[in-house]
Amino acid sequence: MRILVPILSFGRAGGYRVLSELANNWVSRNHDVDFLSPDSSDEPYFPTKAEIRWVNGEGVVSAQRQAKAKPSGRYHLQALSRGLKVVGHEYDVILANHSLTAWPVALAACGNAKKFYYVQAYEPEYYANRRTIKGYVLAFMTALSYHLPIKRIANSPIYFRYRNLRTSCFVPPGIDLSIFKPGKDAKDLERAESIVIGCIGRYEPEKGTIYVLRAFEKLHQRDRRFQLRVAYGNLPEGWKHDGCEIVVPKNDQELASYYRSLDILVAPGTVQHGAPHYPVLEGLACGIPVVTTGYMGATPDTAWIVGNRDVNSICDAISRLVADPLTRQQKSNQGRIVARAYSWDSVADQMLTVFNGELS
């Protein structure tokens, strides 16, 4: 099967990891997989075995990237649209993966290629939360993209009927279980000299970082053993605390080591509960107690589910799990079992099954 994955640029967000890992798995199964990217993009952050076809604003496609100063978003869309018209007909499958790639994929004439749209989040909600004119325009364009004539594949069943998004096809994201795995035995938190709480620091309000910080402040005030370890920083301007440490993992191996350095992981996102959220899946796979507002993989059997935007609920959950080693062990064991369903082999198989169903 020949598969083309058009992108506006390579980035470091979790969605790009998904695309790289899917491509790597398919290439290992002898499928021909290419990325099509504007030549203004950076090189891939996540390693890929797929070939990369670079396209410029005139629609000239090349295997060599001509580094450019960062042009406008219009340049990206124009390059991608023209590139699809040139090479789209060479493929069996074209996989759009973002609202702004769905438009050129839908509108380009690509011969007999089957077109798919992998929806990895309900994007309008995030754009609208910016509360800017550009954000509202992007939210509107993204919402419209869910009505384009492309087969939609969601990464969570919550998107089957989510606002104006409709689909009945579901393929989850995956995790590398050879990297995200348990480490040393969990320590006795009741007698420990320190209790390390962790979270992934994000600026976006909907990621809920501020609620972890406020919960930590309360817990540390009660018990000085509580420490906070934040991955990547991205803390609110002016916020600091002597009990807070920032670490910056450079790759998945270092990110997995970060998770294993924690006693508790908090994932307090405020929107689209039930959707995939990588820290939750990765934390479960590493056997770390997870406190979350409720994302894929997290249930009362595998994690401590807390109220949305509820600092006291986070504090109460952490206090309970510290005092209950038996429940910690039970949920940790069950979380690792649940995480096994998200291996890349399984996820890549599911996506190929969807492709083959449309091609047959």
Side-chain angles (χ1 to χ4, degrees):
M1 188 185 301
R2 296 211 67 196
I3 303 170
L4 181 66
V5 184
I7 61 171
L8 289 176
S9 65
F10 289 101
R12 299 188 177 199
Y16 294 101
R17 180 204 276 131
V18 172
L19 299 176
S20 289
E21 291 289 351
L22 286 173
N24 292 343
N25 196 288
W26 295 333
V27 169
S28 298
R29 300 175 189 218
N30 297 317
H31 296 287
D32 294 325
V33 185
D34 295 335
F35 284 99
L36 180 67
S37 173
D39 58 358
S40 53
S41 169
D42 293 329
E43 295 285 346
Y45 175 75
F46 298 104
T48 180
K49 298 176 184 177
E51 297 294 327
I52 302 173
R53 304 183 75 173
W54 304 98
V55 57
N56 67 17
E58 304 303 315
V60 177
V61 179
S62 171
Q64 301 299 319
R65 172 174 171 262
Q66 304 297 322
K68 287 181 174 289
K70 296 298 182 185
S72 66
R74 180 180 177 182
Y75 177 90
H76 295 149
L77 288 170
Q78 176 178 295
L80 206 58
S81 297
R82 291 180 174 177
L84 282 164
K85 291 177 182 177
V86 173
V87 302
H89 68 279
E90 301 174 13
Y91 296 88
D92 302 305
V93 166
I94 300 177
L95 180 63
N97 52 83
H98 181 279
S99 59
L100 297 181
T101 64
W103 284 97
V105 167
L107 297 176
C110 298
N112 294 322
K114 295 292 184 181
K115 300 176 180 180
F116 299 84
Y117 181 4
Y118 191 32
V119 180
Q120 299 194 63
Y122 185 77
E123 295 174 44
E125 201 159 15
Y126 295 110
Y127 286 130
N129 282 343
R130 296 179 183 179
R131 302 187 186 281
T132 63
I133 293 175
K134 181 179 179 180
Y136 292 130
V137 170
L138 287 171
F140 177 72
M141 293 300 294
T142 300
L144 284 181
S145 76
Y146 301 137
H147 300 280
L148 292 170
I150 314 177
K151 183 174 179 64
R152 290 175 292 281
I153 307 167
N155 70 353
S156 169
I158 74 161
Y159 298 125
F160 285 173
R161 294 184 63 84
Y162 193 93
R163 303 200 177 187
N164 73 306
L165 173 59
R166 298 290 183 272
T167 183
S168 59
C169 191
F170 156 56
V171 176
I175 51 178
D176 189 334
L177 297 175
S178 70
I179 296 175
F180 295 98
K181 57 186 178 181
K184 62 184 184 305
D185 292 336
K187 64 189 182 187
D188 183 348
L189 296 185
E190 286 189 286
R191 296 179 174 83
E193 293 182 1
S194 66
I195 302 171
V196 182
I197 301 168
C199 74
I200 305 296
R202 296 287 294 269
Y203 286 124
E204 302 93 330
E206 61 271 11
K207 299 301 181 181
T209 302
I210 188 63
Y211 303 105
V212 184
L213 305 184
R214 290 173 179 169
F216 163 69
E217 289 171 335
K218 285 194 169 191
L219 290 164
H220 184 80
Q221 194 171 34
R222 298 178 199 165
D223 186 340
R224 299 288 177 174
R225 295 183 301 156
F226 282 107
Q227 302 294 311
L228 180 64
R229 188 169 293 152
V230 180
Y232 306 109
N234 301 324
L235 301 178
E237 185 176 355
W239 191 93
K240 60 182 179 178
H241 194 289
D242 291 341
C244 177
E245 173 191 8
I246 294 173
V247 299
V248 183
K250 297 182 178 65
N251 50 48
D252 279 355
Q253 287 78 6
E254 291 188 9
L255 180 59
S257 295
Y258 161 74
Y259 288 128
R260 289 190 289 267
S261 76
L262 306 176
D263 298 311
I264 303 159
L265 174 68
V266 185
T270 64
V271 298
Q272 299 181 39
H273 299 130
H277 184 39
Y278 263 109
V280 171
L281 291 175
E282 292 164 348
L284 293 176
C286 290
I288 306 303
V290 174
V291 175
T292 178
T293 41
Y295 288 93
M296 184 175 285
T299 69
D301 292 329
T302 63
W304 285 259
I305 309 300
V306 296
N308 202 30
R309 300 184 178 90
D310 191 336
V311 171
N312 290 332
S313 183
I314 295 173
C315 291
D316 291 345
I318 290 175
S319 297
R320 282 187 280 111
L321 76 85
V322 166
D324 191 345
L326 179 59
T327 299
R328 280 203 312 274
Q329 189 61 53
Q330 290 173 339
K331 293 194 179 194
S332 176
N333 292 342
Q334 189 61 33
R336 293 200 299 272
I337 292 171
V338 167
R340 291 174 196 160
Y342 299 93
S343 72
W344 281 115
D345 280 347
S346 172
V347 169
D349 269 341
Q350 293 176 59
M351 191 71 84
L352 288 174
T353 298
V354 175
F355 294 163
N356 284 320
E358 291 296 307
L359 291 171
S360 61

